[in-house]
């Protein structure tokens, strides 16, 4: 899911839409997944954005 979002939006746009550091400050899939696994509110925002993108 995260890879699809990055491919579609890019890190810069993803950070603009969901303002969290792991998307804007030296972003990587690994660091972002670690953060999202530990942070339910951020994971929910990513899941909502993914659902809107797939409509």
């Amino acid at each position: 899911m995260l890879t699809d979002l990055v491919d579609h939006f890019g890190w810069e746009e993803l950070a603009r839409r969901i303002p969290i550091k792991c998307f804007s400050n030296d972003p990587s899939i690994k660091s972002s997944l670690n953060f999202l696994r530990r942070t339910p509110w951020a994971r929910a925002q990513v899941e909502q954005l993914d659902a809107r993108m797939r409509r």
Side-chain angles (χ1 to χ4, degrees):
M1 177 187 319
L2 183 59
T3 304
D4 291 342
L5 288 170
V6 172
D7 289 346
H8 184 79
F9 293 111
W11 287 112
E12 189 174 309
E13 179 64 16
L14 199 54
R16 190 185 70 74
R17 290 174 180 252
I18 305 172
I20 53 180
K21 265 189 186 179
C22 65
F23 291 166
S24 61
N25 186 13
D26 194 25
S28 73
I29 295 293
K30 183 177 179 180
S31 67
S32 297
L33 287 176
N34 285 335
F35 178 77
L36 293 170
R37 285 184 187 117
R38 292 179 286 131
T39 315
W41 64 265
R43 184 173 52 244
Q45 288 185 15
V46 168
E47 290 170 350
Q48 288 173 356
L49 182 59
D50 182 64
R52 286 191 305 244
M53 180 189 76
R54 293 183 187 278
R55 285 186 199 166

